[in-house]
Amino acid sequence: MKDVQVVTMQSLRSEAEMMELILAQAQKDERVRLVGMEGSRLDPDAPKDRFQDYDITYLVTNMESFTADDSWLNCFGERIIMQKPEAMSLFPPSLGGWFSYLMLFIDGNRIDLKLIPLRQLDAYLASESRLTILLDKDQRLTAPVTPSNGDFIVHPPSEAHFNDCCNEFWWVATYVAKGLCRDEFLYAAEHLNTCVRPNLLRMLAWEATVRRPQDAVIPGKSYKYLSKYLAPGITQQLEASFRNSSINALWDSLFLCLELFRGSSKRVSESLSYSYPDYDANVSAYLFHLRDEFSS
């Protein structure tokens, strides 16, 4: 570590200081005509802590004048690191002509700043429900924009979606077992973590909606708030399913995922009067056979 330069962390700037800075920069730059804000800072139920990002959008004229030179960003403070996703070649851009700067500053604050051409104002306003306008220099908007959580609320699945989730979960579970039987740890872990588990989380979120129909279920990005909607004991089982230190641990995690998914999907199917898939029994028997034969 002798070649690593130690950065002295500064004291955390307050929310008021950060918002004043963000709006002051927009006010003095004639190219910026509107300022929007999205994200968890508009969610009254989101935990308030030092790690909340400032998700900011500048709607601008002459986008190219911004992206040609990053020096205009220095007004926000000294950065630990910055990423420009739309300027990367390994990871294809996904914003369709919009441009973003993800900035982490040495005081610990983070701004995710997005630039959008002014002519795409309508597309921006339609992009998500949790946004508001902080500055409108030209009074383009005739009514206030009120943020809501509408886009983030999980709703009970259609029968087709329920069946697709079940089929994908049980089908890919056989891939995990195949990798484990071959001692292909990385293959098995990838399929468990990128397909089997996400469908388990999806089913658990659906279950929460049918168990608590009077509540708005908002599990958050990467299901980070899901645990507050789960029945007692499920969170501990779910966390235990993340153990992956060995082939045997992955076998245990896989079968814990199967148990959780089976219980959750049966409860969803019963609540919504959907047919529960009969292939669960055949796939489970197949997986039990493979584990008995190949696990040590």
Side-chain angles (χ1 to χ4, degrees), residues 153-223:
I153 297 173
V154 173
H155 300 283
S158 67
E159 189 166 11
H161 283 182
F162 173 79
N163 288 332
D164 289 348
C165 179
C166 290
N167 189 267
E168 183 73 354
F169 177 90
W170 290 103
W171 175 252
V172 180
T174 67
Y175 287 50
V176 179
K178 176 173 67 175
L180 294 174
C181 292
R182 291 173 167 172
D183 283 336
E184 295 170 346
F185 179 89
L186 296 177
Y187 176 93
E190 179 185 13
H191 283 81
L192 178 64
N193 292 322
T194 63
C195 191
V196 170
R197 196 187 314 281
N199 280 293
L200 167 59
L201 295 171
R202 178 181 288 116
M203 188 62 71
L204 289 170
W206 284 342
E207 183 190 353
T209 68
V210 299
R211 286 181 60 247
R212 304 169 60 164
Q214 73 282 2
D215 297 333
V217 175
I218 305 174
K221 186 176 183 180
S222 302
Y223 295 93

Side-chain angles (χ1 to χ4, degrees), residues 217-231:
V217 175
I218 305 174
K221 186 176 183 180
S222 302
Y223 295 93
K224 59 185 177 181
Y225 305 136
L226 180 60
S227 61
K228 73 179 184 178
Y229 301 107
L230 299 180

Side-chain angles (χ1 to χ4, degrees), residues 39-237:
S40 66
R41 288 184 180 272
L42 298 177
D43 181 359
D45 296 322
K48 307 299 181 185
D49 62 21
R50 60 185 293 183
F51 300 107
Q52 276 190 301
D53 305 338
Y54 293 87
D55 295 301
I56 302 296
T57 295
Y58 283 178
L59 289 110
V60 304
T61 61
N62 194 359
M63 279 263 295
E64 293 73 18
S65 64
F66 285 95
T67 58
D69 182 1
D70 293 341
S71 61
W72 68 276
L73 297 166
N74 294 339
C75 67
F76 297 115
E78 186 176 352
R79 298 183 294 272
I80 294 175
I81 187 172
M82 177 170 70
Q83 184 178 98
K84 298 186 290 184
E86 288 66 51
M88 302 174 83
S89 58
L90 179 59
F91 311 105
S94 60
L95 288 184
W98 301 355
F99 199 90
S100 58
Y101 303 89
L102 314 181
M103 298 174 285
L104 177 63
F105 301 96
I106 61 172
D107 69 339
N109 272 308
R110 173 174 159 171
I111 298 177
D112 289 356
L113 177 60
K114 185 162 63 256
L115 299 181
I116 298 178
L118 182 60
R119 64 181 181 276
Q120 295 187 30
L121 172 59
D122 289 343
Y124 168 64
L125 294 175
S127 64
E128 68 170 83
S129 62
R130 193 190 291 156
L131 67 80
T132 192
I133 299 299
L134 304 176
L135 176 66
D136 179 4
K137 292 180 179 178
D138 308 309
Q139 288 75 54
R140 283 180 162 79
L141 302 178
T142 58
V145 177
T146 304
S148 77
N149 287 327
D151 292 345
F152 304 92
I153 297 173
V154 173
H155 300 283
S158 67
E159 189 166 11
H161 283 182
F162 173 79
N163 288 332
D164 289 348
C165 179
C166 290
N167 189 267
E168 183 73 354
F169 177 90
W170 290 103
W171 175 252
V172 180
T174 67
Y175 287 50
V176 179
K178 176 173 67 175
L180 294 174
C181 292
R182 291 173 167 172
D183 283 336
E184 295 170 346
F185 179 89
L186 296 177
Y187 176 93
E190 179 185 13
H191 283 81
L192 178 64
N193 292 322
T194 63
C195 191
V196 170
R197 196 187 314 281
N199 280 293
L200 167 59
L201 295 171
R202 178 181 288 116
M203 188 62 71
L204 289 170
W206 284 342
E207 183 190 353
T209 68
V210 299
R211 286 181 60 247
R212 304 169 60 164
Q214 73 282 2
D215 297 333
V217 175
I218 305 174
K221 186 176 183 180
S222 302
Y223 295 93
K224 59 185 177 181
Y225 305 136
L226 180 60
S227 61
K228 73 179 184 178
Y229 301 107
L230 299 180
I234 298 296
T235 296
Q236 290 76 13
Q237 290 180 279

